[in-house]
Structures are given as structure tokens and as C-alpha cells.
Amino acid sequence: MVNVKGGTYIPLYGVDSTAVTVDEFRMDVYPVTNKEYLKFVQENPEWKRSKVKQLFADGNYLVNWEGDDSYGNQLAADAAVTNVSWFAAKKYCDCQGKRLPTVDEWEYAAMADQNSQDARKKETYNQLILDWYEAPKTFNNSIGSTFKNYWGIYDLHGLVWEWAMDFNSVLISGESRKDVDKDSNLFCGSAAVGASDLMNYAAFMRYAFRGSLKANYSIRNLGFRCVQTKESNNKNLTY
């Protein structure tokens, strides 16, 4: 894990409001891998593929694994684990004495490139993100195959999408958007196309993806990593 110094930023949904403050936290350098998740299910058998409750994971949970105790030869040990539900990801982090990042923590850490804390105004950086969105099967790549950002974190862009603790807290569903006073136009297709810069469009895609999820969904290109609040230092971890 590495420290991410706290600060403020204006997220996609906050373009017309004040900046959001993010407190200092620690984040995993890499997403959780197949090898690490295998150890977790062996220690917590209720999260094995054949035993997990449908309430907590849909039928795609670990669907590409060879069995309960093996991810097989088709998946790399050091590739990010995917087809894992929010419930499973949350439990994994809990068992490590950690937690899933909030959307704001994830977005705050992920706006950094190799040299700066906030690279969102750099066209080359934003184009890199958009190019990844179009690249096929990056979930097969090993962790660490993308760049190391300003904070020392790899693979926030370019490998897999990642769960957040409050993944559904911002984007409003079609059924409910008329019942709240959030600006639903912000999340329509025309609003994305008319965004003032490329970063808004890339961020729109992330928020739209998160808004399409349910907590028991298990998706092929969706993984996760864990964080800790600064105060919850675990002496058994190496930083």
C-alpha cells in the first residue's frame, strides 16, 4: 500500500458545485489478483464458487475459474481477479483489515499521471484512458503492466474497471432520477458528447458504468483493490 495525501477536487458530478475534500488514505498499489483471491476463498469457503449465496453473487461469479479451489491454466495468477461481486470484494477487504475505496477516493487517486496529482487537463493522458476503454481483453494482462502514477499506484487505468464502496451513490437510475433533485441531464448521452473536455467524457463512462451495476453483479472486466483510512495503520503491512 502507499499513502495518498488528502486534498480537494471537483468530480464529474460536481462541475457546478464546490470541490470535494478527500482525507488522506492508503491504497493498494495493485488490484487484487487471482492468486490472492484464491487464498481468500480457501480461508473463507462460503465465498467459493459453488457455495456463495445468490443474494451475494450472481451466476457469473468466478465463472471462468476451473473450480472452487483453482483458477485453472487459462487465467494468470498475477492477473486481476474479476467476476467478483461487490459483496465479495467488500468481504475480501474486510478480511484484510481494509475496505473498498469510495468513489471520491478512487477518482482522486486516478486523476494522477506519472508526474502530477491532477492530469485531467492533459489531452494525452485523457486520450490514453479513452484508448484503453476501446482496447480488448486488458483484463488478461498482469498487474503492474500499466504506468506507475504520481502516488506510486499501478493499473487504475488500463487493466480492469474497479468496484467502489459507494458505486451507486451518484448516478441515478432511469426509474428514480425523476424522484430526486440531481441533474439527470448530466448523465445522458448528449451531455457526455457535449462535455467541455475529454476527461469529462472518460469520467462520464466510469460513472455510467457504476450506475449500471448491482451489488451482486460479477463482470468479466470488473475487479477491485482495497484502501485504509490513514488512522487504521496495520503494523503487519509493508508500505
Side-chain angles (χ1 to χ4, degrees), residues 95-170:
C95 288
Q96 314 306 313
K98 306 178 188 180
R99 59 177 173 81
L100 287 171
T102 65
V103 168
D104 285 326
E105 286 172 334
W106 195 97
E107 290 288 333
Y108 180 80
M111 70 186 188
D113 65 1
Q114 294 95 322
N115 303 310
S116 59
Q117 295 182 29
D118 187 355
R120 291 180 295 174
K121 295 298 182 182
K122 296 182 180 179
E123 184 174 346
T124 54
Y125 178 62
N126 297 317
Q127 191 59 54
L128 181 150
I129 299 172
L130 293 172
D131 289 344
W132 164 52
Y133 291 165
E134 297 180 355
K137 298 184 178 180
T138 56
F139 49 75
N140 288 327
N141 298 337
S142 299
I143 59 169
S145 59
T146 70
F147 65 90
K148 178 182 180 180
N149 80 1
Y150 176 88
W151 304 110
I153 303 168
Y154 288 84
D155 306 324
L156 288 170
H157 303 291
L159 202 65
V160 294
W161 302 82
E162 297 185 7
W163 281 110
M165 178 67 78
D166 52 343
F167 67 93
N168 58 358
S169 63
V170 176

Side-chain angles (χ1 to χ4, degrees), residues 35-106:
K35 181 179 180 180
E36 291 168 333
Y37 198 77
L38 175 60
K39 183 175 184 292
F40 163 72
V41 298
Q42 289 173 335
E43 295 174 351
N44 300 272
E46 67 272 22
W47 291 99
K48 291 184 177 183
R49 189 176 68 182
S50 67
K51 296 183 179 180
V52 68
K53 295 180 179 179
Q54 290 185 352
L55 176 66
F56 300 131
D58 64 15
N60 289 318
Y61 178 73
L62 299 179
V63 68
N64 290 312
W65 279 34
E66 187 175 75
D68 277 353
D69 295 295
S70 173
Y71 43 81
N73 297 322
Q74 301 301 312
L75 300 176
D78 62 350
V81 66
T82 59
N83 288 113
V84 173
S85 69
W86 177 88
F87 290 109
K90 181 179 182 297
K91 181 63 176 180
Y92 176 97
C93 292
D94 289 345
C95 288
Q96 314 306 313
K98 306 178 188 180
R99 59 177 173 81
L100 287 171
T102 65
V103 168
D104 285 326
E105 286 172 334
W106 195 97

Side-chain angles (χ1 to χ4, degrees), residues 219-234:
I219 298 174
R220 185 66 182 94
N221 61 348
L222 178 59
F224 71 99
R225 75 180 72 212
C226 309
V227 301
Q228 284 182 320
T229 53
K230 186 64 166 62
E231 293 74 22
S232 60
N233 184 20
N234 186 333

